[in-house]
Amino acid sequence: MITTSHVPIDNRDMLARVPAWITSTRAETLEDVAFLSGAALNHLHLVLGRANVPHALLRDRMALRAAEACVAFSGRQERAGELRDAVHLLRSGDLPGPAGETYLAWRRAVERPVSVKALHRSLPGIGADLIAEGLDGRREAAVARAANAMDRALTQAPRAEVPALVLADAALARAVGWDHLVPLLAVGLRRADLRKRGDDLRLACHRAVVASAIEAVRLAADLASRAAHLKAVAPKLRAKGAGAAVEMFLTRDAVMSSALPLPDRAARRLCDRLVDLGAVCELTGRGSFRLYGV
């Protein structure tokens, strides 16, 4: 993703802590809020360059949060657990429903490197020219580019809020030099913000980036710690295919035991063992159709 080899990998304080002046300052003007969002993005940029951060897992978990926010924008009530179920319990031929489709859209968005071709395939209602324009914007600062991309997309298709937000976060990622999209704007914006245009939308986007970048930094620190523990206990796992299973947990928000590259009984035993070791959590509280995650 990003490499910042000059940053000490074992400096956990830097990983977890956003400077207090970013989190505590109350800025009102566009210029002041833009300064804070730039500082927050810079800190997140350094964190995302850390080798001990499980990047794919972080993006997948942020995708779940983005989907949860977008579902709420549409007036639906599904929360994270229900979104996980809508996707992971699908059988061949099943339809995920509106909430599940929103979650799938965000998961697809974070899986692939940002490109016009990839976004055009996954963003219905958003033309390739508009996507290319949103990803270009060489004369614009990062958050302004994202806000303008969303502004143009919502002007063209006012009901296509999810594609517009995906495009905005893709434009932001391209502007700061990230290979993959990290959901920030959907996590930080409010429903009323999607009706704003021009400077009002840009102001809302700057505020959203400050809030969501702080959340992403804290989540990255938590996941880095959890991933380190999972890697530490991995040598204790004797099941054939355990290494590939551990890699799945390090890259996915949630996994069903039946999706692991082991026979069903061995997969269930492995999940129970990892729970006992405190390396993964059971996410549903159910006795069957369980989901596990770091």
Side-chain angles (χ1 to χ4, degrees):
M1 197 171 177
I2 306 162
T3 57
T4 53
S5 56
H6 62 285
V7 180
I9 288 179
D10 60 350
N11 187 349
R12 189 161 297 185
D13 283 345
M14 193 287 291
L15 179 61
R17 187 185 306 141
V18 177
W21 60 268
I22 297 177
T23 60
S24 61
T25 302
R26 291 184 59 85
E28 298 297 333
T29 69
L30 180 57
E31 181 181 14
D32 289 343
V33 178
F35 177 76
L36 292 179
S37 72
L41 272 178
N42 181 67
H43 190 79
L44 177 58
H45 181 84
L46 292 176
V47 168
L48 293 180
R50 300 291 291 270
N52 57 336
V53 172
H55 299 109
L57 175 57
L58 173 65
R59 293 194 305 269
D60 204 30
R61 194 144 293 174
M62 290 294 289
L64 175 63
R65 297 189 181 190
E68 191 175 25
C70 288
V71 167
F73 291 159
S74 68
R76 301 183 64 89
Q77 302 298 316
E78 288 91 342
R79 307 299 292 174
E82 294 164 300
L83 292 175
R84 285 187 177 117
D85 284 354
V87 168
H88 291 284
L89 301 184
L90 280 177
R91 296 182 179 180
S92 179
D94 287 350
L95 296 176
E101 187 54 51
T102 295
Y103 183 24
L104 285 172
W106 278 105
R107 293 190 75 197
R108 289 191 293 264
V110 302
E111 285 173 353
R112 305 180 183 94
V114 173
S115 70
V116 175
K117 184 177 180 181
L119 289 170
H120 190 225
R121 285 199 303 263
S122 59
L123 296 182
I126 304 295
D129 290 345
L130 187 58
I131 293 171
E133 185 180 1
L135 295 185
D136 185 11
R138 298 174 188 173
R139 300 176 184 174
E140 299 170 321
V143 178
R145 185 193 302 193
N148 291 339
M150 182 163 58
D151 196 338
R152 289 189 292 266
L154 288 173
T155 299
Q156 181 186 90
R159 298 177 63 86
E161 294 174 343
V162 174
L165 286 163
V166 170
L167 177 58
D169 271 322
L172 182 65
R174 175 64 65 85
V176 296
W178 299 341
D179 293 334
H180 289 76
L181 180 160
V182 178
L184 294 176
L185 290 167
V187 176
L189 287 169
R190 297 174 298 178
R191 184 177 185 179
D193 292 330
L194 301 183
R195 296 191 292 271
K196 296 175 180 177
R197 295 293 181 268
D199 283 349
D200 289 340
L201 179 59
R202 283 188 282 277
L203 182 63
C205 286
H206 282 296
R207 287 177 171 153
V209 164
V210 173
S212 54
I214 291 169
E215 179 179 349
V217 166
R218 291 171 178 164
L219 180 58
D222 180 55
L223 292 179
S225 176
R226 292 173 181 270
H229 180 54
L230 175 56
K231 292 176 182 178
V233 305
K236 300 179 181 180
L237 307 174
R238 299 179 180 178
K240 186 177 181 180
V246 166
E247 185 60 27
M248 290 179 68
F249 285 115
L250 288 172
T251 56
R252 303 186 188 184
D253 163 70
V255 180
M256 287 189 73
S257 63
S258 59
L260 297 176
L262 292 87
D264 286 348
R265 184 174 296 180
R268 290 194 296 271
R269 285 200 302 266
L270 176 67
C271 290
D272 290 341
R273 175 70 170 147
L274 287 171
V275 171
D276 290 341
L277 291 169
V280 303
C281 302
E282 201 287 308
L283 301 172
T284 69
R286 292 190 296 252
S288 59
F289 301 108
R290 294 178 172 182
L291 293 171
Y292 300 87
V294 171

